[in-house]
Amino acid sequence: MNVRAATRARIVASVVVLASLPALTGASAADRDSGVRLDFIGEQELPNAMAFQGTTVGGLSAISYDARTGSYYVISDDRSQTGPARFYTVRLDFADSRLSGVELTGTQPLLRPDGTTYPPTSTATGAVAPDPEGIAVDPRDGSLAWTSEGERIVPADGPAVLGDPWIRRATTTGEYTGQLPLPPQLHMNSQSTGPRRNQTLEGVTFTPDGRQIVTAMEDPLYQDGDDPTPAHGALTRLTVHDARTGLPTAQYAYPLEPLFATPPDGSTDTNGVSDLVALGHDRFLVLERASIFSANNWKARIFLVDLHGATDVLGRDSLADGPVQPVRKTLVTDLSDIAGLPRVDNIEGITLGPRLPDGRRTVVLVSDDNFASREVTQFIALAAHGI
């Protein structure tokens, strides 16, 4: 069987597996009582195309809280187009247990191993800029891990432009300090196997003890089946790495929700994981974000996820290659249902912040405005019971 035929066979088998899983069809893959409650405690927006320290603020795709300093790290998904690939530091004000202010305090470029900034993608030079999507603070020493979705441009004629996704380590001033190895299935390929463009390593988090780094693929690998549609969900992958060695140690199937509505223009919008944050004891809050882009219609949902009892699929080429028990997930909140929240935009980042005086743990979200005037950069604060 040739490569393309084999790939088609795997995809057909994946679709059969998805169709046989009731949790992936219909309205929701999640249980309804997580035991976690979130109270809305404020929203702040930054001006569109805000200038800050020689950069244009936008594309904020992930957020991570450093409990040692009280600062937040926020990464931009700018592919070195409006400025170098970079992250920002932010202070949030929780006066009277409400989010009352957002202050950008600094920005740093992410640097290549040779200490230079990343140039834009260029077919002339062969340069492939990163697509920064996830950032996480190491609770042990305050250093950073960040992810790039890589690049996959496969023209009908001419050479393909391929750049692997990655998980890199960096200092708080952006210097490169290492890269984690990926499972082989996550490398880019010009054939219809491996990750899809713009649907790879979207989220990253450290476990609270700092011993593990966990990443989330936004959507399925080609061989794992189709993207979510209004008719069905899909399976994507969460990968656990040893933070000391960097090696992947386990991987789990994550069941994505169906797309929440049918796009009016027939486009192929979808739903995917945009970020996650570890709670400890193999539990996470996972943020799923879906869009009907032509209508500027967004949906964001937060799920409580538990890895216990899930099948370890590390090394499995396709999730259709055998029985799979996905991770358990329970809906915590649909942001569309939160009273008082003025709008739900392209929410892409989630982190745990400090505890409020009454003991509730803050949960902070950030949106990616895609550097577009019709979208906004917003910080949303919630207060959690039960974590």
Side-chain angles (χ1 to χ4, degrees):
M1 185 180 291
N2 62 35
V3 172
R4 290 186 178 180
T7 300
R8 284 196 299 271
R10 285 196 300 268
I11 291 173
V12 169
S14 297
V15 172
V16 171
V17 169
L18 294 181
S20 69
L21 291 174
L24 298 178
T25 59
S28 176
D31 295 328
R32 286 288 169 179
D33 187 7
S34 67
V36 177
R37 298 291 181 268
L38 297 175
D39 302 325
F40 175 59
I41 57 169
E43 183 255 14
Q44 297 280 311
E45 297 181 6
L46 298 183
N48 180 256
M50 175 181 173
F52 179 77
Q53 294 185 1
T55 72
T56 299
V57 178
L60 304 185
S61 293
I63 185 169
S64 185
Y65 177 64
D66 185 351
R68 303 182 321 155
T69 65
S71 187
Y72 296 79
Y73 289 84
V74 183
I75 202 166
S76 171
D77 69 0
D78 186 352
R79 300 188 188 198
S80 295
Q81 292 178 319
T82 69
R86 61 195 177 276
F87 61 85
Y88 296 89
T89 51
V90 179
R91 289 278 180 175
L92 301 183
D93 186 359
F94 285 102
D96 299 321
S97 296
R98 299 283 300 177
L99 177 60
S100 56
V102 175
E103 178 189 7
L104 272 62
T105 58
T107 185
Q108 296 287 345
L110 293 157
L111 300 178
R112 296 189 287 181
D114 65 4
T116 60
T117 57
Y118 293 93
T121 296
S122 169
T123 54
T125 65
V128 179
D131 180 6
E133 292 289 352
I135 194 166
V137 176
D138 189 332
R140 298 170 301 177
D141 61 11
S143 63
L144 305 174
W146 66 283
T147 64
S148 166
E149 286 201 282
E151 184 59 280
R152 184 182 185 275
I153 302 173
V154 184
D157 55 350
V161 177
L162 300 176
D164 278 340
W166 69 48
I167 311 160
R168 288 192 167 176
R169 302 299 304 270
T171 68
T172 55
T173 50
E175 286 88 358
Y176 171 92
T177 59
Q179 182 167 323
L180 280 62
L182 292 179
Q185 296 78 16
L186 303 194
H187 291 280
M188 284 296 187
N189 196 303
S190 59
Q191 304 297 315
S192 295
T193 186
R196 293 171 165 87
R197 186 176 192 264
N198 261 353
Q199 296 184 14
T200 75
L201 294 175
E202 187 79 11
V204 61
T205 184
F206 282 88
T207 53
D209 60 11
R211 294 181 179 180
Q212 295 175 319
I213 297 172
V214 183
T215 61
M217 291 285 291
E218 183 175 5
D219 282 295
L221 303 175
Y222 278 106
Q223 64 266 30
D224 287 342
D226 294 334
D227 282 340
T229 72
H232 64 75
L235 292 177
T236 189
R237 303 192 188 205
L238 307 180
T239 306
V240 180
H241 292 253
D242 183 290
R244 181 179 60 84
T245 66
L247 295 173
T249 59
Q251 191 177 77
Y252 303 98
Y254 177 90
L256 291 163
E257 299 295 293
L259 183 61
F260 61 95
T262 300
D265 58 355
S267 62
T268 56
D269 296 327
T270 191
N271 176 51
V273 174
S274 62
D275 205 1
L276 77 170
V277 62
L279 303 178
H281 305 290
D282 290 334
R283 298 195 314 156
F284 302 81
L285 293 180
V286 173
L287 176 64
E288 289 188 39
R289 179 277 326 270
S291 72
I292 296 179
F293 194 76
S294 60
N296 200 37
N297 188 5
W298 302 94
K299 180 173 282 290
R301 287 166 284 196
I302 299 171
F303 296 90
L304 179 67
V305 171
D306 193 330
L307 304 185
H308 290 101
T311 305
D312 185 352
V313 297
L314 186 65
R316 189 179 293 191
D317 181 54
S318 168
L319 296 180
D321 288 346
V324 175
Q325 177 61 53
V327 302
R328 298 198 310 269
K329 58 183 283 194
T330 310
L331 181 67
V332 175
T333 191
D334 184 326
L335 268 65
S336 302
D337 298 333
I338 293 179
L341 181 61
R343 64 186 293 176
V344 177
D345 209 86
N346 182 20
I347 308 297
E348 288 210 0
I350 185 170
T351 193
L352 299 179
R355 290 196 181 275
L356 298 173
D358 62 10
R360 291 176 299 168
R361 188 71 182 268
T362 53
V363 176
V364 180
L365 312 174
V366 70
S367 73
D368 173 359
D369 70 350
N370 289 306
F371 293 93
S373 59
R374 71 174 185 169
E375 297 174 46
V376 297
T377 297
Q378 60 181 162
F379 291 79
I380 298 169
L382 308 166
H385 305 259
I387 59 174

